[in-house]
Amino acid sequence: MLRIKEATRNHSRWPERILIGADATPSFCTERCCNDSLAVIDVNAKASSCFENDFIDVHLPKTSQLSRDDARMLELYLPYALVGVEARTHRRSIAISHFAQTLDGRIASDSGDSKWIGNEDNLTHAHRMRALCDAILIGSKTLEVDNPRLNVRLVEGSSPIRVIIGGDELCVEEYQAVDKDTILFCQNHSASSHVNKVTLLRDERYATKEILQELFRRGLHSVYIEGGCYTTSSFLTQGMLDQIQLHISPMILGSGRSSFEFPGAEDMSGALRFKTGRFVDVGADVMFVGSLA
């Protein structure tokens, strides 16, 4: 996936066919297959979004050493390797949100404890997504409470650029996720010159479209949002969230912090609906993957 992402980074449109050679090197061709290939991936060039359910179709030659599980992995992760084409179409970074919740829709207990709602396979998935996305974004509350590292440790690949929203009152340099490349979107922060600070107009909620456009201008075509509920809800309600990856854990808290935080719809006609959606096995649990764009 990382090789495909690099090979298509400057493409203006999706490749129609990707051939995975015997040495796992990707190439773009018109031939249906070749004897020593591992996989042939057909891309739906007519799709309006790389998150459509029928965006790709993976074929395994009879001589392939890949399994159907490998093919499903290709189908799941390839859209994120090609997301740069979609970013150039919209002239903004593509936003993908991921979080784990209980059956009753809680992402943390009343005390803020959220370890571990998701399972080990979900953590591995998150690190794969971090490696495939150009940036990873959290709100200042998540930074303060969890002090996450936001790096890639469990899979191959480079760690994404860290992006923090808010935290005007925090000494952000004290946190693990903040380094010289971290981008801080704030409204009135006296951060040191070692942090890339972008000042936003003061408003009730941060202007998410402006944030995604600024990330795109910096060459960051995809951003992985890992919390929290206020940050995710800001992107969602402003129409700037392209996809949600919602890991569902078989547990019930009864109370705690909800997955989303915004004024609810008065009736079902006002509910936010997904354009496409599917459930993916994540170990013994499941993850809902839904496209909003």
Side-chain angles (χ1 to χ4, degrees):
M1 293 298 99
L2 296 175
R3 292 181 182 182
I4 293 174
K5 176 184 176 181
E6 187 60 31
T8 59
R9 187 166 186 83
N10 296 316
H11 281 206
S12 59
R13 60 187 179 89
W14 294 310
E16 294 185 12
R17 182 163 295 143
I18 303 172
L19 180 69
I20 308 297
D23 60 351
T25 300
S27 60
F28 310 103
C29 60
T30 57
E31 293 82 7
R32 175 68 177 177
C33 190
C34 69
N35 292 333
D36 62 346
S37 63
L38 293 175
V40 177
I41 305 170
D42 286 329
V43 178
N44 183 359
K46 296 181 180 180
S48 59
S49 168
C50 66
F51 297 137
E52 291 188 9
N53 287 343
D54 62 349
F55 180 62
I56 65 170
D57 190 11
V58 177
H59 309 277
L60 299 182
K62 293 181 179 180
T63 57
S64 177
Q65 298 177 4
L66 298 182
S67 66
R68 286 310 306 171
D69 286 340
D70 294 325
R72 283 190 284 269
M73 290 276 286
L74 289 171
E75 291 170 350
L76 176 61
Y77 291 107
L78 183 65
Y80 310 108
L82 300 178
V83 78
V85 176
E86 189 151 334
R88 283 187 289 277
T89 299
H90 295 290
R91 305 299 300 174
R92 64 168 175 83
S93 184
I94 301 301
I96 304 145
S97 175
H98 171 264
F99 54 93
Q101 72 165 39
T102 61
L103 287 174
D104 54 342
R106 309 294 181 177
I107 60 172
S109 67
D110 287 324
S111 66
D113 181 28
S114 62
K115 296 181 180 180
W116 295 95
I117 292 178
N119 59 19
E120 289 294 329
D121 294 278
N122 180 62
L123 183 60
T124 301
H125 164 76
H127 280 246
R128 289 183 184 132
M129 290 298 304
R130 291 178 184 183
L132 282 170
C133 290
D134 296 327
I136 183 169
L137 182 149
I138 60 171
S140 59
K141 195 67 176 178
T142 299
L143 179 72
E144 182 180 17
V145 174
D146 295 342
N147 191 18
R149 286 177 281 180
L150 304 181
N151 59 12
V152 174
R153 305 184 300 278
L154 302 182
V155 300
E156 293 184 17
S158 301
S159 295
I161 296 294
R162 288 91 157 188
V163 180
I164 313 296
I165 300 182
D168 290 46
E169 72 289 351
L170 297 178
C171 183
V172 293
E173 294 93 335
E174 295 180 354
Y175 294 89
Q176 296 181 105
V178 179
D179 58 22
K180 62 181 180 61
D181 296 318
T182 300
I183 302 172
L184 174 68
F185 287 94
C186 56
Q187 294 173 329
N188 184 25
H189 198 291
S190 58
S192 73
S193 58
H194 298 296
V195 177
N196 295 296
K197 184 174 70 172
V198 180
T199 303
L200 300 174
L201 295 176
R202 182 170 293 280
D203 203 347
E204 182 179 353
R205 285 188 181 269
Y206 287 98
T208 57
K209 183 176 182 180
E210 181 181 346
I211 290 171
L212 295 180
Q213 289 175 334
E214 177 62 26
L215 293 178
F216 179 80
R217 283 192 289 269
R218 293 171 179 250
L220 305 174
H221 294 164
S222 55
V223 57
Y224 199 46
I225 302 173
E226 287 199 15
C229 65
Y230 181 85
T231 300
T232 298
S233 297
S234 294
F235 281 88
L236 179 64
T237 56
Q238 293 178 36
M240 289 292 112
L241 193 57
D242 297 280
Q243 187 187 78
I244 288 178
Q245 299 176 349
L246 174 56
H247 180 104
I248 303 172
S249 180
M251 62 176 71
I252 295 174
L253 278 175
S255 65
R257 298 180 182 178
S258 298
S259 304
F260 302 98
E261 183 181 287
F262 57 88
E266 293 185 1
D267 51 53
M268 294 304 297
S269 64
L272 293 172
R273 298 181 183 273
F274 293 89
K275 292 186 176 180
T276 63
R278 57 179 171 148
F279 286 92
V280 178
D281 290 336
V282 183
D285 300 344
V286 295
M287 179 174 65
F288 173 74
V289 180
S291 172
L292 292 146

